[in-house]
Amino acid sequence: MGADLGLTTRLTTLPRFVSWSAMGVRAVFLVGFMASGKSSVGQELARRLNWDFVDLDAHIESRERQTVPEIFRDRGEPGFRRAEATALHDLTESLERNTVVALGGGTFAHPGNRELLRPWPSVFLDAPLEELWQRRREDATIRPLGEDPSEFARLYEFRLPFYRQATVTVVTSGKDLASLCAEIERTLQFREGTEAAGSSQISPDHFSTGELQ
Ligand code: S3P
């Protein structure tokens, strides 16, 4: 707990975070595998903060006038990734109000997208594979890359190191939406007078510059 408090104090001096407040608009990007709860947590967090909420997949669908499965069917995964990267780029360029964004499961695995999101805080919703697969099976959403259990597991292992590059990791197991949102708010200091959360971790990557001492 003591270490977390120290990290959070240092977080406020981080240069990359200066940029999002200086721009006058705040945003936070939720990162994680399929069925990790990005959209549910994002909606609830936005409601609590009175911020806008954008689900990147829904945003892509409205721009492209096709569903995600239709884009995969007609253009393959490369076509979907192009649409995803363009939609994310345009979204970050056009933010006018404080916004919580739920990314797709593959968004943060792509280096160009991670680079684009460097000025903004990101939160990895960390859940074990078994739990994700169980939730994925119970959820009616069609996920072109989430049909086969071994491919699901392979993708999860491949992407974990990228997800861990998010600003903050929040372990989701056994927590309800309210406590997850409260933990995110405390850790990213979205509310005045709050302190660091117990189990959230701020990525060591964010403390790699000499300016943080
Ligand atoms: C994908 C996850 C989906 C969606 C698309 C690709 C992925 O989003 O973006 O089907 O590559 O993991 P969710 O994580 O919201 O299911």
Side-chain angles (χ1 to χ4, degrees):
M1 178 67 99
D4 279 341
L5 288 171
L7 287 175
T8 304
T9 305
R10 291 164 72 196
L11 180 68
T12 59
T13 66
L14 206 66
R16 71 179 59 182
F17 284 90
V18 172
S19 62
W20 56 263
S21 31
M23 284 187 280
V25 176
R26 292 176 143 207
V28 60
F29 292 81
L30 302 184
V31 171
F33 203 58
M34 289 173 262
S36 59
K38 301 180 293 289
S39 299
S40 316
V41 173
Q43 273 167 12
E44 177 62 8
L45 185 63
R47 190 193 63 75
R48 289 167 58 111
L49 294 169
N50 195 24
W51 289 17
D52 285 354
F53 171 71
V54 174
D55 180 296
L56 185 62
D57 282 338
H59 189 60
I60 295 167
E61 290 181 333
S62 96
R63 285 168 57 99
E64 302 292 325
R65 296 172 197 275
Q66 276 193 306
T67 64
V68 169
E70 284 167 352
I71 300 172
F72 268 82
R73 182 198 64 205
D74 293 351
R75 306 179 226 171
E77 188 179 350
F80 174 75
R81 295 301 166 204
R82 279 193 293 276
E84 181 180 52
T86 310
L88 183 64
H89 174 269
D90 293 354
L91 178 66
T92 57
E93 291 285 302
S94 63
L95 287 171
E96 288 180 350
R97 280 176 37 87
N98 295 345
T99 306
V100 179
V101 181
L103 299 177
T107 319
F108 211 68
H110 288 263
N113 296 336
R114 282 201 305 281
E115 188 53 35
L116 183 74
L117 295 177
R118 271 177 66 82
W120 310 89
S122 48
V123 178
F124 168 35
L125 301 180
D126 189 6
L129 176 62
E130 299 68 31
E131 207 175 295
L132 294 167
W133 178 247
Q134 182 63 28
R135 282 219 294 267
R136 187 260 162 276
R137 289 178 53 182
E138 290 163 1
D139 180 352
T141 309
I142 299 170
R143 294 185 165 98
L145 300 179
E147 299 301 316
D148 174 59
S150 49
E151 177 60 8
F152 193 84
R154 190 197 66 77
L155 261 184
Y156 173 83
E157 296 300 337
F158 175 76
R159 289 175 177 174
L160 257 186
F162 304 121
Y163 295 153
R164 294 203 186 285
Q165 293 176 35
T167 318
V168 170
T169 293
V170 174
V171 172
T172 61
S173 294
K175 295 174 189 163
D176 61 18
L177 278 182
S179 44
L180 280 172
C181 291
E183 194 172 324
I184 293 168
E185 289 163 8
R186 282 195 305 270
T187 309
L188 291 176
Q189 300 184 328
F190 283 161
R191 290 183 193 276
E192 295 298 317
T194 53
E195 293 185 333
S199 59
S200 308
Q201 292 177 352
I202 295 173
S203 162
D205 187 42
H206 289 259
F207 302 98
S208 57
T209 82
E211 298 165 73
L212 299 170
Q213 304 314 313

